[in-house]
Amino acid sequence: MRRLLLSALGALPAALRAAPAGLNGRAVRGGRPAAAPDDGLSGTGGTAPVPDRHRPSPGRGRGDTVRAWTELFRVSALFSVPGDALAGAAAVGRSPGRGTALAIGASLCLYEAGMALNDWADREEDAVDRPHRPIPSGRISPSAALGAAGALTAAGLALAARAGRPALAVATGLAATVWAYDLHLKHTKAGPAAMAAARSLDLLLGATATATSYAGTGPGPRATRPMRLGAVPPTGPDNVARAAGPARSPLAALPAALVLGAHTYGVTAVSRHEAQGGSTAVPLAVLATTTALAAAVLATHQRQRPGEPARPGPAATAPGSSYRPDHPHHPAAPSMLDLGAPLPGTYRPGHHPTAPALPDLGAPQPGTYRPGHHPHRPTAPALTPLLLTAFTGAYLRTAGPPLLHAALNPSPPLTQRAVGGGIRAMIPLQAALAARAGAPGSGLAVMALVPLARSLARKVSPT
């Protein structure tokens, strides 16, 4: 018995060596190899990747899908869009109305269409430089991104069409510029100019939609007449966007659009080096441009304060009178001829022993004079210059330091930070343009978006 047990123990190692092995050296169980974990790898030792197969991304739940789309759309940069329409509305002397809201909706759709189309067009380049982006990482398919770009473009044009044919014409040019930039112009020397044109057209879209918003409202045949792009809209009560000052043509917003376009040109020029870095001259030039734009905004407001009526000079007299208070031959009011009893509610110097109480007719038209009115007092709020200075300072504070850091150390992280700062700086610049046009309320509304954009930028990169 003892000899039999020793012989059995001696044969055990040979039996173990003769047993078949499973995949990757795993033991056989039940006569079949143990299943290997599906790690998406094949080949010797499990080190060779399977051809034409993406590694599964971490998580496929609804939360991960939402985050992938927020990264694709760069939602933290979305807050730089509404200020375009508000600044455009202020530039034409009107408060925001129905047309402004439609312009904001159209701008948001076209902006996000450009973001989706940008990642679709750069999917091969991002696979090398930015493999974490939603399309290269496999979280969003290229066809889904392209479909979203097309749907958002159609939605933006539909919203612009609700604001009138002039607004639709501007939105069509904006959409064509966005698609041309993403598909071709981005990698050419005309890329920054195309992006600047898109941002300028976005501000003009807000100005045009606001100025022409009366076309679809109000009773009577007047509401159905189309308005030319260069015509001055009426200020009647049927207009949805009430006048915040003297009504102006949409072309009056062109200077503000050029300022915003110049800033966008600089940001786009810096962004062309954000992946590799290495450019010092471009951030310095853009920093100088930013300073010049801020100075131009302040200087323009000092030369002409919007909303302030014209002061009555030597030629400004009361309607129907030849009397000039500053004339050397008339040190005092001349005696008035007896023209009979005045009309009810009117006042003639020298006729009544006491002047009657005049009805409140509001601010006079520029260049006219009304007794009892003080034309030297501006109709714009007294805080407008202070707000304009604060908004312009916030613009410099947001865009300036990142550009300086990128110029001193042109590394990709600092260059990307300069691009993000330039995108966020559009918000205070839009607020400054609105305040310069005599709409400090719109400027404050735009500045209210800064905390939201800053907090969301910590979660989703705007670049």
Side-chain angles (χ1 to χ4, degrees), residues 51-437:
D52 301 328
R53 180 177 177 181
H54 295 286
R55 288 185 61 88
S57 60
R60 289 288 185 176
R62 177 176 298 180
D64 299 295
T65 303
V66 171
R67 180 172 180 81
W69 283 101
T70 57
E71 292 179 9
L72 180 75
F73 288 139
R74 296 174 176 88
V75 293
S76 60
L78 202 60
F79 296 99
S80 66
V81 177
D84 291 343
L86 294 177
V92 295
R94 295 191 171 276
S95 297
R98 173 179 176 271
T100 314
L102 291 172
I104 291 176
S107 299
L108 291 173
C109 291
L110 295 177
Y111 187 84
E112 294 294 38
M115 290 295 183
L117 185 63
N118 174 79
D119 276 28
W120 179 85
D122 290 348
R123 61 191 184 279
E124 296 181 358
E125 180 181 341
D126 288 343
V128 178
D129 296 334
R130 295 180 173 183
H132 61 278
R133 292 295 300 165
I135 294 180
S137 62
R139 291 177 290 165
I140 295 178
S141 65
S143 59
L146 183 60
L152 288 170
T153 301
L157 294 178
L159 289 174
R162 296 289 302 275
R165 283 180 291 179
L168 177 60
V170 178
T172 302
L174 174 58
T177 305
V178 169
W179 280 72
Y181 173 82
D182 286 333
L183 296 180
H184 176 67
L185 297 178
K186 180 195 312 182
H187 302 290
T188 66
K189 294 182 179 180
M195 184 60 70
R199 183 64 74 161
S200 298
L201 286 173
D202 197 32
L203 190 145
L204 291 176
L205 173 60
T208 305
T210 303
T212 59
S213 60
Y214 81 100
T217 61
R222 178 186 179 187
T224 61
R225 291 199 306 264
M227 192 182 104
R228 298 188 306 272
L229 181 61
V232 177
T235 58
D238 61 336
N239 193 4
V240 177
R242 65 179 179 87
R248 293 182 287 271
S249 164
L251 296 179
L254 188 58
L258 292 177
V259 170
L260 196 61
H263 173 78
T264 307
Y265 187 100
V267 175
T268 309
V270 175
S271 68
R272 296 166 74 92
H273 304 275
E274 63 179 344
Q276 293 81 18
S279 176
T280 301
V282 174
L284 282 178
V286 175
L287 179 60
T289 303
T290 301
T291 306
L293 291 176
V297 171
L298 293 175
T300 305
H301 181 267
Q302 291 175 357
R303 288 196 304 267
Q304 179 182 4
R305 294 179 180 178
E308 181 177 356
R311 299 183 182 182
T317 60
S321 173
S322 60
Y323 167 63
R324 297 181 180 179
D326 56 346
H327 199 278
H329 299 291
H330 300 283
S335 59
M336 305 295 294
L337 297 178
D338 187 12
L339 301 179
L343 295 176
T346 61
Y347 168 65
R348 182 184 303 158
H351 183 83
H352 298 283
T354 57
L358 294 176
D360 185 14
L361 301 179
Q365 295 294 327
T368 61
Y369 173 70
R370 181 185 302 159
H373 184 77
H374 301 280
H376 63 277
R377 297 179 182 176
T379 58
L383 292 179
T384 298
L386 181 60
L387 290 176
L388 176 62
T389 304
F391 296 158
T392 308
Y395 165 64
L396 289 174
R397 176 65 182 85
T398 306
L403 288 172
L404 181 60
H405 296 160
L408 297 176
N409 181 14
S411 62
L414 292 181
T415 304
Q416 293 174 8
R417 189 174 301 176
V419 175
I423 294 175
R424 292 191 301 271
M426 290 182 185
I427 300 178
L429 179 59
Q430 295 159 348
L433 293 174
R436 185 191 67 167

